Amino acid sequence: MKQDVLYQILTTAEDCQTVSDIAKKLFLSHPYVSQVLSKAEKKYNVVLLERRTLPIELTEAGRTLCDGLAKLHSDQMKIEQDLRRFTEEEQSYIKIGFSPIWAPGESRKIIPVLQKQFETTRFELIKTFSINSAKRLIDNRMVDIYLGPLLRGENLKNFFLFQPRIFLIIPETSKLYQEGKRDVPFSQQLLMDLSEEKMVSLSDDSGFQKAVDHLLEDQNLSVNKSIKVNDYEVALQMAVGGLGWTATLEYMLPDLDPDLKYNQVELPHTLIQSDNGLTIHIDSNDRAKEVAQVMTRLMKDDLVARKLIKE
């Protein structure tokens, strides 16, 4: 049994309703996840996950094992880093975690440059599906660099890139839809009216959705989340398909069918915080820090070329 897989299952369980949800988020089969949990429970002679409740939840033993695995992995990473300077072979992996909606820094442009500049380094890309899992991966040194919404913590260092524009999407089925228009100006009244309509929401573990929720809470507005989905593109397609309004990021919009009828309302930057960039642990090795600095420079150049930021 691989401890990394067990650790991912236990940490992902905190944000899931069922074991099936865990499997979907980790792109594993339901039987495999159940098998890993059962083997671990048999090995340690404890119950790790309370499956009879909805949502499922870790038992105290499960949380204890999860914390222990995190410490083991962190200690192992430190040992490997300490020993690396004694090895003759300098080749090593840099693990880069990334948000599923990251578009400005496309890997096909960035990775070849990194490979050329860091010839003895190999790269492993790991997609993360929630802000919570991303932070755990960085905190526990399971990834060296995280690319996406900036993570906060006293042991973390950020490389800010830009704040993407955020849009509210109003489908044709909404009573607020304005015929013949694509862009509609923002107003406080519009936000209040939207909060009373059905919303297509991202799942609760989404950092972006949490920012949207905080915006509504700050305005003392309620929200009717009729549908939740853990995929930006699916949420957007459901919204323009008439199932409710949603909030999305600017680089999701170009892929929409131009013949679809919907309004888009840009939110003022002053209302919502959505800083994007790179995050590393302050105790990262020198190679990871250097790679993060080069990635920041390359991605800023890419953002300038896309006219998402100014030089």
Side-chain angles (χ1 to χ4, degrees):
M1 177 181 61
K2 293 184 178 180
Q3 288 187 338
D4 282 358
V5 175
L6 177 59
Y7 176 73
Q8 288 180 337
I9 290 172
L10 293 177
T11 54
T12 304
E14 297 176 356
D15 302 317
C16 292
Q17 298 282 320
T18 65
V19 174
S20 180
D21 289 342
I22 298 175
K24 289 177 182 177
K25 286 196 174 185
L26 296 178
F27 288 91
L28 300 172
S29 70
H30 187 162
Y32 178 70
V33 171
S34 296
Q35 183 184 55
V36 171
L37 286 169
S38 295
K39 284 185 176 180
E41 288 176 331
K42 185 176 180 179
K43 175 181 178 181
Y44 297 111
N45 195 29
V46 295
V47 175
L48 299 174
L49 191 67
E50 181 52 72
R51 300 165 176 81
R52 294 171 296 179
T53 60
L54 193 64
I56 55 174
E57 60 180 352
L58 292 178
T59 62
E60 186 174 351
R63 288 190 290 272
T64 299
L65 178 58
C66 189
D67 292 341
L69 291 174
K71 187 176 185 307
L72 279 174
H73 190 277
S74 181
D75 290 345
Q76 180 65 31
M77 289 293 291
K78 186 177 186 308
I79 291 171
E80 290 178 4
Q81 289 174 10
D82 290 343
L83 291 176
R84 194 169 292 158
R85 60 194 176 94
F86 297 109
T87 63
E88 293 183 359
E89 180 169 3
E90 296 180 354
Q91 191 174 55
S92 60
Y93 273 105
I94 293 294
K95 296 184 179 181
I96 303 172
F98 64 97
S99 165
I101 49 81
W102 183 261
E106 295 179 0
S107 59
R108 68 174 182 271
K109 297 180 180 178
I110 302 299
I111 296 300
V113 179
L114 294 177
Q115 288 177 317
K116 185 175 182 180
Q117 184 160 343
F118 301 96
E119 294 182 351
T120 61
T121 299
R122 293 172 288 181
F123 297 91
E124 181 176 348
L125 304 183
I126 303 168
K127 182 182 287 189
T128 60
F129 292 90
S130 76
I131 205 77
N132 293 337
S133 62
K135 191 172 187 308
R136 282 194 293 265
L137 289 172
I138 283 288
D139 283 340
N140 297 320
R141 318 292 290 283
M142 298 181 79
V143 299
D144 300 292
I145 300 168
Y146 174 69
L147 174 61
L150 293 182
L151 307 177
R152 308 297 179 182
E154 60 181 14
N155 294 322
L156 305 180
K157 176 179 174 59
N158 293 140
F159 297 84
F160 173 78
L161 288 174
F162 82 128
Q163 185 175 359
R165 297 157 68 198
I166 296 175
F167 289 86
L168 306 178
I169 303 300
I170 304 174
E172 184 184 16
T173 53
S174 169
K175 63 182 180 181
L176 301 176
Y177 174 73
Q178 298 184 32
E179 184 70 39
K181 292 184 177 181
R182 178 68 79 210
D183 292 288
V184 172
F186 173 82
S187 71
Q188 186 65 32
Q189 185 60 51
L190 183 143
L191 188 62
M192 292 175 62
D193 292 339
L194 271 180
S195 70
E196 297 176 358
E197 296 199 354
K198 291 181 179 180
M199 179 188 189
V200 179
S201 165
L202 292 170
S203 51
D204 293 335
D205 56 357
S206 163
F208 175 69
Q209 187 60 52
K210 286 180 180 179
V212 174
D213 291 346
H214 287 158
L215 163 65
L216 296 170
E217 291 169 5
D218 290 344
Q219 304 290 323
N220 293 317
L221 299 175
S222 59
V223 58
N224 178 13
K225 295 182 179 180
S226 61
I227 298 175
K228 291 183 182 180
V229 59
N230 67 339
D231 185 283
Y232 281 79
E233 184 177 357
V234 173
L236 182 56
Q237 291 295 340
M238 284 184 168
V240 296
L243 298 181
W245 70 277
T246 196
T248 195
L249 297 161
E250 59 181 304
Y251 32 81
M252 299 299 297
L253 298 177
D255 293 333
L256 284 178
D257 185 340
D259 294 329
L260 288 171
K261 293 186 177 181
Y262 65 91
N263 298 144
Q264 57 188 39
V265 182
E266 183 175 358
L267 278 176
H269 277 318
T270 53
L271 285 183
I272 189 167
Q273 196 71 23
S274 60
D275 294 345
N276 275 232
L278 281 73
T279 300
I280 64 172
H281 196 282
I282 58 173
D283 292 330
S284 296
N285 62 58
D286 292 340
R287 176 57 57 87
K289 291 177 180 177
E290 188 178 359
V291 170
Q293 291 172 346
V294 173
M295 286 180 67
T296 301
R297 175 177 56 79
L298 292 172
M299 290 183 173
K300 281 188 174 178
D301 290 344
D302 180 73
L303 290 166
V304 170
R306 292 169 179 263
K307 299 182 179 180
L308 293 173
I309 62 172
K310 297 180 180 179
E311 292 189 68

